[in-house]
Amino acid sequence: MKPLMSKIDLENFLEKEFPQVSNNFKILNTKPNSLSMLMHISDEHLRPGGTVSGPTMFLLADVSFYLATLSIIGPKSLTVTTNCSINFLRKPNISNLISESRVLKIGKTLSVGDVLIYSEGIKEPVAHASLTYSIPRE
């Protein structure tokens, strides 16, 4: 399926609709049914024990899959998370995170897929999330 939103379209959408978090993210790549993104990590994203917090990794998974879905369906800002399950696989470094999102199935009302999250400097993923989004009716 041909994407309806380019990388630039998605960046502009994120900045306009979510200015409170848009500076934390940089879209690295968009391909049909997939998107990769970098999240800049700062002190506010850390938890005791010297690691990136779980809610921070959830935020990256959620934003990354949201944009991957919008790249296919267009700028429907009321597309919302209906389910997310995240497995934390290993302790991330205190460094930026990179996500790889895949839209596995998209229909008229639901988008289903997953996100792998990597910590810069660690070859294996630090988290894996499965997500479902509800697509609003026209």
Side-chain angles (χ1 to χ4, degrees), residues 26-42:
K26 177 182 177 185
I27 298 171
L28 300 174
N29 196 343
T30 59
K31 295 179 185 174
N33 299 331
S34 68
L35 179 138
S36 62
M37 164 175 269
L38 179 134
M39 182 176 188
H40 302 284
I41 298 301
S42 63

Side-chain angles (χ1 to χ4, degrees), residues 35-123:
L35 179 138
S36 62
M37 164 175 269
L38 179 134
M39 182 176 188
H40 302 284
I41 298 301
S42 63
D43 286 343
E44 68 186 272
H45 301 114
L46 304 180
R47 61 163 309 226
T51 189
V52 177
S53 72
T56 296
M57 288 186 271
F58 176 88
L59 175 63
L60 174 58
D62 197 40
V63 171
S64 183
F65 190 72
Y66 178 67
L67 294 179
T69 297
L70 294 185
S71 74
I72 298 168
I73 66 170
K76 297 182 181 184
S77 60
L78 295 180
T79 301
V80 295
T81 311
T82 59
N83 187 55
C84 180
S85 173
I86 189 165
N87 293 298
F88 301 103
L89 306 173
R90 54 190 49 83
K91 182 179 176 179
N93 290 334
I94 301 176
S95 61
N96 293 335
L97 297 176
I98 297 170
S99 66
E100 294 180 0
S101 301
R102 297 183 303 168
V103 177
L104 301 173
K105 182 178 185 304
I106 195 155
K108 291 181 182 180
T109 60
L110 294 176
S111 175
V112 178
D114 68 357
V115 179
L116 287 170
I117 298 175
Y118 295 87
S119 180
E120 288 183 329
I122 299 177
K123 187 176 181 177

